[in-house]
Amino acid sequence: MNKNMYHFIKEKANQYHQETIAIRRDIHQYAERGWLEMRTACFIASYLEKLGYEVFVGEEIMKKESRMGLPSQAILQSHYQRAKVEGANSFYLEKVKEGMTGVAGILRNGEGPIIALRFDIDALGIIEDNNETHFPYQNHFESCHKGAMHACGHDGHTAIGLTTAKILMDIKEKMHGTIKLIFQPAEEGVRGAKCICESGFLDDVDYIYAAHIMPQSSNYDLYFGMNESFATTKLDVTYHGVSTHAAESPQFGKNALLSAANCILNLHSIPRNSDGQTRVNVGVVHAGTGRNVIPETAKLEIEVRGVTTELNRYMEMYARDIINASALMHDTVVEIKEMGKAYALKCDEDFMNEIRYLCQQNLTDLKLPKKNLSPLGGSDDFSYMMEYVQSHGGKATYMKLLTKVKASPHNTAFDFDEEVLNKGPRIMASIAYSLLK
Amino acid sequence: MNKNMYHFIKEKANQYHQETIAIRRDIHQYAERGWLEMRTACFIASYLEKLGYEVFVGEEIMKKESRMGLPSQAILQSHYQRAKVEGANSFYLEKVKEGMTGVAGILRNGEGPIIALRFDIDALGIIEDNNETHFPYQNHFESCHKGAMHACGHDGHTAIGLTTAKILMDIKEKMHGTIKLIFQPAEEGVRGAKCICESGFLDDVDYIYAAHIMPQSSNYDLYFGMNESFATTKLDVTYHGVSTHAAESPQFGKNALLSAANCILNLHSIPRNSDGQTRVNVGVVHAGTGRNVIPETAKLEIEVRGVTTELNRYMEMYARDIINASALMHDTVVEIKEMGKAYALKCDEDFMNEIRYLCQQNLTDLKLPKKNLSPLGGSDDFSYMMEYVQSHGGKATYMKLLTKVKASPHNTAFDFDEEVLNKGPRIMASIAYSLLK
Amino acid sequence: MNKNMYHFIKEKANQYHQETIAIRRDIHQYAERGWLEMRTACFIASYLEKLGYEVFVGEEIMKKESRMGLPSQAILQSHYQRAKVEGANSFYLEKVKEGMTGVAGILRNGEGPIIALRFDIDALGIIEDNNETHFPYQNHFESCHKGAMHACGHDGHTAIGLTTAKILMDIKEKMHGTIKLIFQPAEEGVRGAKCICESGFLDDVDYIYAAHIMPQSSNYDLYFGMNESFATTKLDVTYHGVSTHAAESPQFGKNALLSAANCILNLHSIPRNSDGQTRVNVGVVHAGTGRNVIPETAKLEIEVRGVTTELNRYMEMYARDIINASALMHDTVVEIKEMGKAYALKCDEDFMNEIRYLCQQNLTDLKLPKKNLSPLGGSDDFSYMMEYVQSHGGKATYMKLLTKVKASPHNTAFDFDEEVLNKGPRIMASIAYSLLK
Amino acid sequence: MNKNMYHFIKEKANQYHQETIAIRRDIHQYAERGWLEMRTACFIASYLEKLGYEVFVGEEIMKKESRMGLPSQAILQSHYQRAKVEGANSFYLEKVKEGMTGVAGILRNGEGPIIALRFDIDALGIIEDNNETHFPYQNHFESCHKGAMHACGHDGHTAIGLTTAKILMDIKEKMHGTIKLIFQPAEEGVRGAKCICESGFLDDVDYIYAAHIMPQSSNYDLYFGMNESFATTKLDVTYHGVSTHAAESPQFGKNALLSAANCILNLHSIPRNSDGQTRVNVGVVHAGTGRNVIPETAKLEIEVRGVTTELNRYMEMYARDIINASALMHDTVVEIKEMGKAYALKCDEDFMNEIRYLCQQNLTDLKLPKKNLSPLGGSDDFSYMMEYVQSHGGKATYMKLLTKVKASPHNTAFDFDEEVLNKGPRIMASIAYSLLK
């Protein structure tokens, strides 16, 4: 009977495959960056509403002031106009217009565990390849928003999420408990998870899981968890000095750029740590207004990382000392803004084993690896949700959905094999069923 | 009789004063930055043509490849369109469209000395004050080109130049020799003088002089020369590295920003020089594309200075070593572009005395200082022309035209008393007459 | 019968234990630093000679010019005098006087494998604790050479080596092949192994092994190999500039200290490497002669490390770029001297298993760990010999001899339990017998 | 009659010339560095005593705790032993033994002005040339104290001072007032003047003057004053961090050398000042104890200067900010010790004119320059005494005594023409007589 149900889920995933592909391509074409996923969010909300979900948008699942790395009002405003032009549902658009672009759907059927699935929905700030060999270009669904591109598979995640929603609604009566499907904005830059956690929406969750589309190096279909991720903190640092004419009276200036140069060099000289790998980068610097003027301001985009949350904390604390000391060095004033934060991933061993058992028993055509974990390498702020649910007594894991890809993630020519849009919803829905059956 | 002629010149300056003011306000309103003075240049050329001057434009007085600090093709192109819309003379516009915005008028009357007068015509990259107390705003001639403002008096210089042209034409028959009136582009950033020198246009000049409107601290009307200027070199430096993901494999990157930070700190640490004051500044830095990407390029706008040409050379040579070593330090490639150059001012003592004598004898209502020289403080690339003429056996001086000002030069609220537009043409024309009479 | 032989070795180790202790205490008392182990080397050579070994000293096993990090002639000379006073054998003393302090003994008995055992003999530059609770002080064998102390157990290694020599001579007839006992100078600073390799003394060796006394955290007696060591390169870097009076004419100087400061900061900013842990340190800096003089020279003692030989190479290559660029930065001249080098340890799996089998079968009272390898953490230039033998087709391992210690290695209060002087020779000799029986 | 007295002084200077030379050579041979002039001070005190002066030594004219840049107790002690062996007067030696090496002699004759003459007595830390062409070597009076050399003429100053004392005693009865002859220690490093000022010994002084032997570029005999000197502050800075093994756990260290490297680079990057020349130097750095140890301490010898006292204050304040910020940068603790201080020289115009008048009228064989002032270039802490006397209402000047020299001051081959030992006492005594006659 269970067997039959897993088989039913598989058939539904097959049946919906073309629609899933269509959704993915639509989302891909209208790629929107973090906090600007206005058309995307409205699309999701309308879709979930039509399926019969209770829909939660914007402030209903996000704490406004906990968002990090928000774009300017002018940018928010112009994207709002664009989303309107592009036909976003006007009811939902009003809810998301201030960059409140999170959406969730809830499905309840009596008593039982409360589980959450997370799908991230934002694009990257990349200009998409328009080469004949690029699949989205060939098939006319390349991004029509220049400078925004789904080069990390979140278009796929969104489509998988919506089809998962559809399948779960199909089998609603067979499950006992509550399912929260979370469509998270602004994962790039690890900015969006925090505000959902701090809204309280996850407080009662017993299980949370997510999956990321990843390049298939062996021929496995998935890993049950990830490790070797980086905890990370993103900081925007601005030095404010005093400008003056560089020839007439340099002594009356306070040189923000000298503070910045010290900051850059010294951040890179934070001692290596024998407890594990750490990272630091100053990725962007803008300073000064004219060649013959002592620079009044210097703005730096900084990130630190560590393979454990503790190592990241070591880096962040040391970096903050350097940032502050660099201001004192040339008598400037410094402003530090936290723009993003993620923890290191800690997947629950027994939850991964449970999913493994499910797959081995019921999804027998999948090719499974021997070990649960595969390294992530980078950072993901789903770690923030995991940490939150775990600290409230729940279980969490973050899986890898493996498929063939063109180019590597974050590359202008990135693309993935759409077969993953079939197995993705199937796996996500099967786990939900398994937890609530 | 001579006395009468100087009186005649004075009366002409009075007579033309309102027109001079009108020209100044027109130029002020259509402020154009260096190499973009297309409408301005066409205005000048047409005006000179109407007066009966032989007119030289663009390649006729400029060596194209000797221009420094040129804007991009896109900017040149859009300014060309704008100048067209704003009614620039289409014959001349074609000649200046590639940023070839220098203009000269020649007046010949038989054998005699060859003299040159220089007037600079470019505006600054400043957004003009739109405050009720700002005179150009009150009188509706504030800049209509946002981000370009005549905040250093070159609008006045242009108007003085054209009225001087008019007066000199009036007294043409009384003079023997040749007058070259040079309207120089791109003085700001000391970029424009070099290409005129290297065109050969000054090769036969016996005397060259110019004057700059300056704030009147005492109640003198002019100084006969300036000293204590800075020789200077402007360099644009770009470090090219290799970008890579900052977390995954930082070792595969080549960090252009680390090169830049070393360059900045070390430029400021060039040893002081016991031979006199020196300066160095890195005024603008832009580096990197994303927080989590090792910066691939870093662009710096640098200037060095010295109170003598030798001290500037010391600074430039040392700076170039540092710029190059900073590339080697982190295995990046560096590109150095010279964007401007000026020498220290050396006014000829006897030429200044000659002008003093002229003024004391014939322009007796002017208030004159006891000493010839007054400090400049900054840099001016008229020094380039002076050096050129002097090294070809001619004489040169650079005078101060003193008048009351609002705010200081390069300030968004800068303005000068338009009475200087009366005495300016009078003094410039009187000197020409005195040299050629 | 074999069993009996291992038992015989054990009994001999017991029998010689007091003598081993006496040797260790003598060596401890007359602690000598790297390349200065003149009394120590003569002691060893005489002892081996008395046992009947063929003795090789100085140039007979070392390539003179391959020694790294040699002290000055003056220091060599004064230590020679001291060794003479302290009764060093005058025949051998002449051979080691120039810092040629390596010694080897060879024992041959017919055809068979050629094996090598290495024991390091140098002390550290540390002032020994003279506290009542310090065992060597209590027992009157603390170092009489102020500033030299056996704080890393090499006194024990020397004693173990000589007793191993004695036992092996006792059982000579039972073994077929050749044994080379190598007493290596200057292991501290990883300076001494290279010159022995490059002398050709190891060219024909089939097996090489060594053991280091280490703190016992569990109650195991030994590990069969070590990993997680650092490959390392030690560099002495001297910047040569030009001094000048700092007030009168700073521009005529070339500031070696500015080169050094750049070098220091930038070495620490070498990017982290995702392939594994790396290290860099500038441990010692001396620069300049007077407060008001631009520093003419700056000397830096630098080391880089990596957990693999490749990672160390990455660090060394990057560091050399920085060192050279820092000279160019302020027009100084740089001199780089390689002072030491070690590779990462790679113990041969089957050789370790062979020793494990030997111990499990025949040294059954030893407490053995389940895994072969234990991390080293630091660096050891025995890696140089291992690499050399392995690249010539031989096998190698570097074992840990575990025992109780007071304080940690390199601490002024370090001491070890002398029971290790019993099991040490027993294990070393048993392995030799096992290989040659 | 006055004429006669100046003639008398001249004859006395001639008569004592050979003795003055002998004193100079003795002082040269027993050169002693700052605060260590124990034999020198005893020699002076005994000499003054024999002449009949009231003698003041050590605490009688110095405030002990106001001495700057004192050597260690061990060095003071060993120099005390040496001075004893070299026959220093034991009564005075006890007074100077703690580095209290200032001496003064007072000559009183009734009511009248109180004047002070200052002679500095310390040598430099330089190893004297022992070349056949070096005059002191030829004549067997080169320094017998290796590493101390009179390479700045203070041996001459001392000899001039004592002969001046002798002449003034000869003409005591002709003068009305009080003469204080001050023999100041530790001028090098500008360390000694402050403690004499703060003892109160100069509180009642009406005129103070001194003269320095200088290379004669023209053929003048003296300048009446000096300008263009540097005000200066000398700082010893020590960073205290935490050492740790550089490979095992670099994160537990606090790297004093990284603080030092930042300090060095940033001190050199203090902005140039349009008010005049400034200087900064880090002349000596010692850091760290071992290549593989994170440096626990780093000691820097720093000086800043400015051509006015205000410019020096600007430099010192900025430098102190940098020094402190560099500690915060890597979480080290910094200790700052003031080691010396001098002001910019401000010679009183009317006092210089008075001396000029005296020379023109009465020392008519001297060759005199037209202007009073000649640049010093460096720093001298006689400025401290001048400032002190001037702020108490007195007058001051610091003269140049010009003569031929070999090599430049502070060079190992420096030597001066001993003819200056004739005109020196004559000029110094003539001025005193002129003020008190």
Side-chain angles (χ1 to χ4, degrees), chain D residues 13 20 160 163-164 167 420-430:
Chain D
T20 315
I160 289 170
T163 297
T164 301
I167 295 172
V420 78
L421 303 180
N422 187 336
K423 77 183 168 205
R426 178 189 170 202
I427 292 168
M428 297 302 276
S430 294

Side-chain angles (χ1 to χ4, degrees), chain B residues 194-426:
Chain B
K194 191 184 176 201
C195 69
I196 294 173
C197 293
E198 297 188 356
S199 76
F201 193 71
L202 300 177
D203 285 14
D204 55 4
V205 168
D206 299 305
Y207 293 91
I208 190 165
Y209 60 101
H212 202 298
I213 295 171
M214 289 281 182
Q216 195 170 34
S217 54
S218 57
N219 65 346
Y220 298 128
D221 281 302
L222 82 164
Y223 278 99
F224 307 108
M226 287 189 265
N227 60 356
E228 293 183 31
S229 74
F230 280 105
T232 184
T233 307
K234 318 296 191 191
L235 301 174
D236 273 7
V237 168
T238 308
Y239 290 101
H240 299 279
V242 173
S243 69
T244 187
H245 191 280
E248 280 161 24
S249 49
Q251 71 271 25
F252 296 140
K254 298 186 178 191
N255 194 325
L257 182 57
L258 281 178
S259 285
N262 273 287
C263 181
I264 295 162
L265 265 183
N266 282 282
L267 283 177
H268 283 88
S269 75
I270 298 179
R272 281 132 170 102
N273 194 308
S274 61
D275 290 341
Q277 289 267 6
T278 54
R279 295 285 184 276
V280 62
N281 193 45
V282 183
V284 181
V285 172
H286 296 294
T289 55
R291 189 191 303 280
N292 62 351
V293 181
I294 304 282
E296 184 160 305
T297 59
K299 191 175 166 195
L300 292 75
E301 297 185 20
I302 296 170
E303 62 166 31
V304 293
R305 304 188 190 223
V307 286
T308 64
T309 302
E310 290 66 37
L311 281 164
N312 186 53
R313 191 172 305 124
Y314 163 78
M315 292 300 288
E316 183 181 338
M317 291 302 107
Y318 207 126
R320 285 178 182 270
D321 280 356
I322 285 170
I323 292 163
N324 287 314
S326 297
L328 293 171
M329 191 74 99
H330 291 280
D331 200 15
T332 59
V333 172
V334 69
E335 189 189 339
I336 306 180
K337 258 168 92 176
E338 194 167 296
M339 301 302 281
K341 187 150 213 153
Y343 297 120
L345 295 172
K346 280 197 212 152
C347 296
D348 287 289
E349 194 63 30
D350 48 1
F351 189 17
M352 290 189 289
N353 288 337
E354 212 171 319
I355 300 173
R356 166 186 290 281
Y357 181 81
L358 156 71
C359 292
Q360 284 171 341
Q361 298 300 313
N362 301 303
L363 286 63
T364 48
D365 54 325
L366 293 182
K367 285 182 211 77
L368 304 177
K370 278 175 201 151
K371 51 181 190 160
N372 287 335
L373 290 161
S374 170
L376 168 56
S379 301
D380 193 303
D381 70 351
F382 183 54
S383 61
Y384 215 101
M385 295 190 179
M386 291 170 70
E387 223 280 327
Y388 193 88
V389 168
Q390 287 164 336
S391 73
H392 284 70
K395 307 268 183 198
T397 194
Y398 192 22
M399 299 183 294
K400 269 189 182 177
L401 271 178
L402 300 167
T403 195
K404 292 197 194 72
V405 303
K406 286 263 173 58
S408 51
H410 292 216
N411 188 294
T412 59
F414 177 75
D415 188 44
F416 58 83
D417 186 337
E418 289 174 337
E419 69 83 24
V420 77
L421 302 179
N422 186 336
K423 76 183 169 203
R426 177 187 171 204

Side-chain angles (χ1 to χ4, degrees), chain C residues 235-236 247 279 285-287 291, chain D residues 235-236 247 279 285-287 291:
Chain C
L235 300 174
D236 273 6
R279 295 285 184 274
V285 173
H286 295 294
R291 188 191 304 279
Chain D
L235 300 174
D236 273 7
R279 296 285 184 274
V285 172
H286 295 295
R291 188 191 305 280

Side-chain angles (χ1 to χ4, degrees), chain A residues 26-82:
Chain A
D26 181 88
I27 300 294
H28 188 93
Q29 189 166 5
Y30 294 92
E32 295 174 313
R33 300 189 62 188
W35 304 125
L36 303 171
E37 314 91 331
M38 297 184 195
R39 184 186 175 281
T40 306
C42 294
F43 182 100
I44 295 164
S46 303
Y47 194 95
L48 292 173
E49 185 191 340
K50 258 173 246 153
L51 292 177
Y53 277 77
E54 294 171 51
V55 178
F56 298 79
V57 177
E59 294 211 51
E60 296 153 11
I61 61 156
M62 298 160 74
K63 186 166 173 198
K64 197 166 187 176
E65 59 276 25
S66 299
R67 292 172 303 166
M68 294 184 289
L70 213 68
S72 70
Q73 269 304 321
I75 293 176
L76 286 169
Q77 183 60 24
S78 75
H79 279 75
Y80 166 71
Q81 295 299 343
R82 188 174 75 184

Side-chain angles (χ1 to χ4, degrees), chain A residues 114-151:
Chain A
I114 300 170
I115 71 171
L117 288 72
R118 177 274 211 162
F119 309 94
D120 44 2
I121 66 175
D122 56 323
L124 282 155
I126 288 177
I127 299 174
E128 185 160 14
D129 209 2
N130 58 2
N131 194 297
E132 288 297 333
T133 63
H134 184 52
F135 182 81
Y137 186 79
Q138 286 169 350
N139 292 276
H140 313 300
F141 68 90
E142 78 278 6
S143 174
C144 64
H145 295 157
K146 186 161 181 172
M149 174 192 174
H150 274 292

